[in-house]
Amino acid sequence: MSTYEQTLKDITNIPKKIKIAFVVAEFNKEYTSQLELLNIGYLNKQGFKNVESYYVPGAFEIPGATKRLLATEEFDLIITLGAVIRGETPHFDYVCNETSRGIMNLTLEYETPIIFGVLTCNTEEQVKERIKPNYAISGLNLLSEMYKIFSM
Amino acid sequence: MSRKSKGKYESITDIPRDIKIGLVISDYHKQYTSQIEEFNVNYLKEQGFKDIEVFHLPGSFEIPSFVSELVDTEDYDLIIPIGVIIKLNLPHYDYICAEIFRGLMDISIDDETPIIPGIIVCENEKQVKKLLNENYAEYGLNFLKEILRTFD
């Protein structure tokens, strides 16, 4: 059981007008849409209103779509959301492997902070326990720390 | 490494004390990472290194991209990432861990700044508690010393 909660740090160095994109996988939509609502709601509450969502069919399409968004250079923060649940076949392993690899490559290639919000779980229960606004909090914390390097 | 040694840099004490060291700490499981951070920062200070910059990230997945940005500033002589990952029984952590280490490896091959993999991966909290005095700073300094000895 994961009881981990992220806590928001001092993020006063982030302007409220920044543009934030969500890339949401619609596979297991009942969970990903909850994740999306919760995380967007959190950002709105913190005063970040410039938020857009983009939908892809499954987690495997997240890296490709994220790369296109990065190429526009319009976004200050990208949060990826997905829920992959193990089925009966090894398919799961390959999808998770490559999705993680794709996103890690993008984080190294681009300066824009990207949050890895793809849940890869054995059971639906494990997913349900993890429907939290943690990704929005992580994103803001990360962006705030990134600004420290860029301002040096 | 058996290139000619000029007799300098035989031990950590030969490393110039004005080098700049960056610590990149993951705040996930902060109760542990902050202890490891304190232990390592204290060690560096005792050794006489004063120019230490500490950054905090939401989780370990963000470490490679942040380290890559730090490397690009060309300000740092040694970068020490510190994170704790407790795998529970969730496939999520297999993918996260694989990509973090791959990301750090990619950077350490592409760039010259010494980077060490200060990320503890455990099955449970009991294992973590035994590792809170891991001296990544000493490990990093030994690596830096060897690089200076060989290439400087």
Side-chain angles (χ1 to χ4, degrees):
Chain A
M1 171 81 198
S2 164
T3 50
Y4 195 83
E5 300 281 346
Q6 292 277 5
T7 44
L8 191 65
K9 296 193 301 191
D10 175 17
I11 52 154
T12 43
N13 63 344
I14 305 178
K16 300 288 185 212
K17 63 176 190 341
I18 59 157
K19 202 163 170 182
I20 302 170
F22 278 81
V23 183
V24 185
E26 289 191 307
F27 209 91
N28 293 319
K29 194 171 178 180
E30 66 272 36
Y31 302 120
T32 58
S33 61
Q34 279 184 56
L35 275 171
E36 183 196 353
L37 276 177
L38 213 57
N39 282 281
I40 292 181
Y42 187 90
L43 290 173
N44 288 340
K45 221 164 56 185
Q46 294 297 323
F48 299 96
K49 306 278 185 201
N50 200 354
V51 182
E52 284 177 19
S53 290
Y54 298 87
Y55 301 96
V56 291
F60 193 84
E61 290 78 28
I62 290 176
T66 305
K67 176 146 185 168
R68 291 186 178 202
L69 290 180
L70 287 164
T72 66
E73 296 183 359
E74 279 179 27
F75 298 94
D76 301 284
L77 172 65
I78 297 183
I79 299 176
T80 62
L81 296 177
V84 195
I85 302 169
R86 190 186 290 278
E88 286 177 5
T89 65
H91 185 72
F92 170 88
D93 296 309
Y94 299 105
V95 169
C96 297
N97 249 334
E98 291 311 312
T99 305
S100 318
R101 188 178 65 87
I103 296 175
M104 175 57 80
N105 282 348
L106 294 175
T107 67
L108 293 176
E109 194 180 332
Y110 290 88
E111 284 185 359
T112 311
I114 303 164
I115 291 293
F116 180 74
V118 183
L119 292 170
T120 53
C121 297
N122 281 326
T123 64
E124 298 203 15
E125 280 310 306
Q126 291 176 328
V127 176
K128 285 180 195 159
E129 287 164 5
R130 290 170 176 80
I131 308 278
K132 289 174 185 170
N134 276 355
Y135 300 113
I137 303 173
S138 291
L140 293 175
N141 284 346
L142 176 62
L143 191 59
S144 157
E145 206 69 6
M146 281 276 187
Y147 279 153
K148 288 186 194 165
I149 320 183
F150 297 142
S151 64
M152 277 183 334
Chain B
M1 290 191 192
S2 60
R3 282 172 47 146
K4 59 183 189 306
S5 171
K6 295 165 198 151
K8 275 163 78 183
Y9 306 120
E10 290 305 324
S11 76
I12 288 179
T13 48
D14 301 325
I15 298 174
R17 263 37 192 171
D18 58 355
I19 61 163
K20 191 168 173 83
I21 300 172
L23 272 79
V24 182
I25 318 283
S26 155
D27 279 350
Y28 213 96
H29 300 302
K30 195 171 183 173
Q31 72 274 32
Y32 301 124
T33 56
S34 62
Q35 283 184 60
I36 304 170
E37 173 193 341
E38 197 187 337
F39 180 84
N40 280 273
V41 170
N42 284 344
Y43 174 82
L44 288 171
K45 287 188 174 152
E46 278 164 24
Q47 293 291 319
F49 298 97
K50 300 272 181 259
D51 199 357
I52 304 165
E53 195 98 43
V54 183
F55 299 92
H56 289 268
L57 303 183
S60 292
F61 195 84
E62 290 78 45
I63 286 178
S65 64
F66 200 88
V67 167
S68 151
E69 297 298 337
L70 278 188
V71 167
D72 288 347
T73 64
E74 296 183 4
D75 284 340
Y76 293 85
D77 301 286
L78 174 64
I79 298 176
I80 303 174
I82 289 173
V84 168
I85 298 170
I86 302 174
K87 289 183 75 178
L88 304 166
N89 190 18
L90 197 68
H92 188 64
Y93 293 102
D94 295 324
Y95 304 107
I96 287 195
C97 294
E99 290 309 319
I100 294 165
F101 284 101
R102 190 183 62 86
L104 288 175
M105 179 56 80
D106 283 356
I107 302 167
S108 64
I109 292 171
D110 285 348
D111 299 290
E112 290 190 352
T113 312
I115 298 158
I116 57 152
I119 295 167
I120 294 175
V121 181
C122 290
E123 298 288 345
N124 52 51
E125 301 209 12
K126 206 173 146 198
Q127 292 176 336
V128 181
K129 285 175 187 156
K130 286 185 195 158
L131 296 169
L132 297 177
N133 287 347
E134 284 292 279
N135 201 335
Y136 291 115
E138 187 183 19
Y139 186 107
L141 289 170
N142 272 319
F143 182 35
L144 178 63
K145 179 257 303 176
E146 206 55 24
I147 285 180
L148 290 171
R149 192 168 74 88
T150 315
F151 299 105
D152 199 44

